[in-house]
Amino acid sequence: MAPNSLEEYRKKRDFGRTPEPSGAERRLSEQPVFVIQKHDASNLHYDFRLQVDDVLKSWAVPKGPSADPSVKRLAIHTEDHPLDYADFEGVIPEGEYGAGTVLVWDRGSYRNLKQDEEEPKPISQQIEDGHVTIWLDGQKIAGGYALIRTGSGDDARWLLLKMDDEKADARRNPTSTEPKSVLSGRAIEEIAQQEKAKDE
Ligand code: MN
């Protein structure tokens, strides 16, 4: 892992203005974590982040994850975020990068589904290869998921897919039926209002 993998993240942000973490603190847990943050920015999207070594590898998923294995969700690879971003919920002020409200929509630990194979493949390698398979243990999202890269260079896009396993359920639509924060129980409007009230 390059020591400057958070350079792009830090360059985009003024930590005197945004409440987002600078990533100065390092924290390593036994089980790698994943987090899905609902981000009401200029375009509403869900940021899907996986702990890989000491950073959160990140994708912006406009429609969020699906529990239906027949659905493919577009995912755009974004810059690495610091580990403590997994706890971040709040408002990024106007004029700052990603201005808008962030809600911790789901969180949990995950497993690399290629770690028990004869030739185990680390997640960092799977990302490089454009084919990642993981098992998520979240409160809303669970089971096998795959992230698959299509195209290359500037045209590279990723797809987030639910694998067909016992956690697959085409009838569930958690992004609309379970919109609240798993961290605070708040709706996105409540976070926006409460953070605004703090500043007044
Ligand atoms: Mn975002």
Side-chain angles (χ1 to χ4, degrees):
M1 180 71 42
N4 59 353
S5 136
L6 293 174
E7 202 181 337
E8 189 184 346
Y9 172 85
R10 293 194 179 113
K11 234 185 337 200
K12 286 178 171 172
R13 291 166 175 81
D14 175 355
F15 297 105
R17 292 197 22 95
T18 179
E20 296 165 291
S22 67
E25 262 174 67
R26 288 193 163 202
R27 195 186 51 179
L28 287 173
S29 55
E30 291 263 307
Q31 283 261 53
V33 301
F34 82 94
V35 64
I36 301 170
Q37 280 155 321
K38 186 174 181 177
H39 187 182
D40 190 9
S42 50
N43 291 301
L44 178 78
H45 59 273
Y46 292 78
D47 289 298
F48 182 71
R49 311 189 197 278
L50 290 178
Q51 178 184 353
V52 178
D53 303 320
D54 57 0
V55 294
L56 296 172
K57 293 285 173 188
S58 300
W59 290 262
V61 185
K63 292 185 176 172
S66 175
D68 180 350
S70 71
V71 170
K72 296 181 175 74
R73 290 281 159 88
L74 174 69
I76 299 143
H77 203 188
T78 57
E79 78 272 21
D80 293 352
H81 277 51
L83 284 187
D84 42 3
Y85 208 94
D87 299 323
F88 176 70
E89 187 166 272
V91 174
I92 302 168
E94 282 305 320
E96 293 304 298
Y97 182 76
T101 310
V102 177
L103 171 153
V104 177
W105 184 76
D106 199 14
R107 202 167 63 160
S109 61
Y110 81 91
R111 281 189 294 119
N112 172 1
L113 287 176
K114 291 178 190 153
Q115 75 190 358
D116 300 325
E117 287 180 0
E118 214 166 295
E119 282 182 62
K121 209 187 242 192
I123 296 290
S124 53
Q125 184 64 49
Q126 294 182 41
I127 293 172
E128 229 165 89
D129 295 347
H131 196 289
V132 180
T133 57
I134 46 183
W135 183 276
L136 303 176
D137 283 306
Q139 295 179 41
K140 298 172 184 170
I141 292 296
Y145 277 80
L147 272 160
I148 296 167
R149 188 174 58 220
T150 66
S152 58
D154 286 347
D155 294 327
R157 292 288 178 272
W158 292 73
L159 295 170
L160 176 65
L161 308 157
K162 176 75 199 78
M163 290 161 73
D164 199 358
D165 54 35
E166 73 269 22
K167 298 291 186 186
D169 186 346
R171 291 160 306 175
R172 271 188 77 218
N173 190 4
T175 49
S176 52
T177 60
E178 297 170 66
K180 292 188 174 176
S181 166
V182 294
L183 196 64
S184 64
R186 294 181 293 177
I188 202 146
E189 301 77 19
E190 289 176 86
I191 295 171
Q193 282 163 11
Q194 288 171 8
E195 297 296 322
K196 213 175 164 190
K198 268 192 215 165
D199 292 340
E200 281 164 5

